Amino acid sequence: MTGLFMNVKKAVYLFLALLLPVFVFLFLRTFGKNEFAVKPLYSENFPSVSAGCTPVRKLPYILPDSIIKGYSKGSDSLSVVFFGAIKDEAANQFRRVQEELRNDGVAVFSVEDTVTNATIMRCFFFLKNPFDVVLFDTRGGIRGNYTSGNRDEIDRLLTEVTIIQKRY
């Protein structure tokens, strides 16, 4: 009789152990919400400004309209700008970003290494070595800084674009 009682007790424990994850899953599915966000940079803290650049006096920091228009294509939701010479691994990553974001409405630019572009890179996008890629939206919020020659950084860029566009 005790053997039968022990088997029933084990069966009940096993049933409850298997049922608990189902209840947790159903609870989270019903009441949970998977929401990710990539907040714009410099919305709560002032950026460190390089020497010779105008300091930021207002938060959240918004790019000037002239910069947005110069480095975006019309009403695209996001823009990715690669600054400087693109060669070796950076060239591979640039092509990869172009290919993966081609149909997503994201403008991808490669900008020559000139004095004007270097000033814009330092004074408006606040990029310092090793960062040479920036992601920003049409409202002028900088969403991220990345290193073009680093595959992990470009993976992070592509993931953040996916999150911002809510395609997960």
Side-chain angles (χ1 to χ4, degrees), residues 78-89:
L78 297 169
S79 295
V80 177
V81 182
F82 283 71
F83 285 95
I86 296 181
K87 55 187 176 209
D88 303 328
E89 183 60 24

Side-chain angles (χ1 to χ4, degrees), residues 6-74:
M6 291 301 286
N7 286 339
V8 170
K9 191 175 173 182
K10 287 180 184 177
V12 168
Y13 283 142
L14 179 62
F15 178 73
L16 289 176
L18 295 175
L19 195 60
L20 182 64
V22 171
F23 280 129
V24 170
F25 174 77
L26 291 175
F27 177 80
L28 291 175
R29 179 89 172 171
T30 305
F31 298 108
K33 184 176 182 184
N34 289 336
E35 187 73 28
F36 302 100
V38 178
K39 290 176 59 175
L41 300 177
Y42 317 122
S43 58
E44 298 173 1
N45 300 324
F46 288 99
S48 61
V49 180
S50 299
C53 299
T54 307
V56 175
R57 291 185 167 68
K58 181 179 151 191
L59 291 178
Y61 174 72
I62 303 294
L63 290 167
D65 287 338
S66 60
I67 301 295
I68 295 170
K69 289 177 186 171
Y71 294 95
S72 65
K73 290 182 182 174

Side-chain angles (χ1 to χ4, degrees), residues 96-161:
R96 181 173 155 232
V97 168
Q98 279 185 313
E99 184 179 303
E100 291 197 26
L101 299 179
R102 181 178 322 147
N103 299 323
D104 293 337
V106 178
V108 181
F109 295 96
S110 171
V111 178
E112 292 180 23
D113 197 10
T114 64
V115 174
T116 303
N117 288 332
T119 303
I120 289 170
M121 181 178 156
R122 284 184 310 105
C123 295
F124 293 100
F125 292 115
F126 311 111
L127 294 175
K128 295 182 173 126
N129 280 338
F131 301 110
D132 58 352
V133 178
V134 67
L135 169 67
F136 67 95
D137 57 33
T138 54
R139 291 186 217 120
I142 299 172
R143 297 302 188 105
N145 303 325
Y146 314 92
T147 305
S148 63
N150 187 329
R151 183 174 178 82
D152 291 336
E153 287 279 311
I154 299 303
D155 288 344
R156 183 171 63 92
L157 163 69
L158 295 171
T159 301
E160 289 179 358
V161 167

